[in-house]
Amino acid sequence: MGKNVIFTLVTMLYLLIYVVASPNNSTDEYALLAFIAQITSDPNKILAKNWSQRTSFCNWIGITCGGRHQRVRSLSLANMGLGCTIAKEIGGLSFLRVLIISNNNFHGFIQANFKK
């Protein structure tokens, strides 16, 4: 085999391993969309105006993603006057390290490692 063929095969194998082994950020998007679907009060329309599937969830107000995997690391929604029952899917944000939701009207609990 020529060097180009071997290089191409090794490159393809590397990409395949990377895609299979990489965390899937669609789980994060699913969790955030489930959360917003439960919102019953958003008096300033902050989430209604900003949380849209037309933009990456990493660019949504209150969301901070890690640079490497583009997974949600922080959810900061304090003082927004939001109200809802917390969607169980929020427990699927496995990279979440910071959760700031004070001064809102949330109910329920967060189940760690929820799987859809």
Side-chain angles (χ1 to χ4, degrees), residues 27-28 31 71 88-95 111-114:
T27 302
D28 288 7
R71 302 289 304 269
K88 63 184 178 185
E89 291 84 356
I90 290 295
L93 297 174
S94 58
F95 281 64
Q111 175 184 340
N113 297 321
F114 171 82

Side-chain angles (χ1 to χ4, degrees), residues 25-35 57 89 114 116:
N25 67 6
S26 67
T27 302
D28 288 7
E29 183 175 26
Y30 173 77
L32 295 169
L33 291 172
F35 176 77
F57 61 83
E89 291 84 356
F114 171 82
K116 64 175 179 175

Side-chain angles (χ1 to χ4, degrees), residues 1-40:
M1 270 195 235
K3 289 182 181 179
N4 287 340
V5 173
I6 293 173
F7 176 77
T8 302
L9 290 174
V10 170
T11 302
M12 288 173 53
L13 180 61
Y14 175 79
L15 289 173
L16 178 64
I17 291 169
Y18 180 78
V19 168
V20 171
S22 295
N24 186 348
N25 67 6
S26 67
T27 302
D28 288 7
E29 183 175 26
Y30 173 77
L32 295 169
L33 291 172
F35 176 77
I36 197 168
Q38 296 292 320
I39 297 288
T40 57

Side-chain angles (χ1 to χ4, degrees), residues 69-82:
H69 296 295
Q70 295 299 294
R71 302 289 304 269
V72 176
R73 301 276 302 168
S74 173
L75 182 58
S76 182
L77 304 174
N79 305 309
M80 291 187 180
L82 303 172

Side-chain angles (χ1 to χ4, degrees), residues 9 16 25 28-29 43 45 48-49 53 55-57 64 66 82 84 86 94 98 101:
L9 290 174
L16 178 64
N25 67 6
D28 288 7
E29 183 175 26
K45 307 278 188 245
K49 291 178 183 176
Q53 286 184 283
T55 60
S56 167
F57 61 83
T64 303
L82 303 172
C84 75
I86 297 174
S94 58
V98 177
I101 57 173

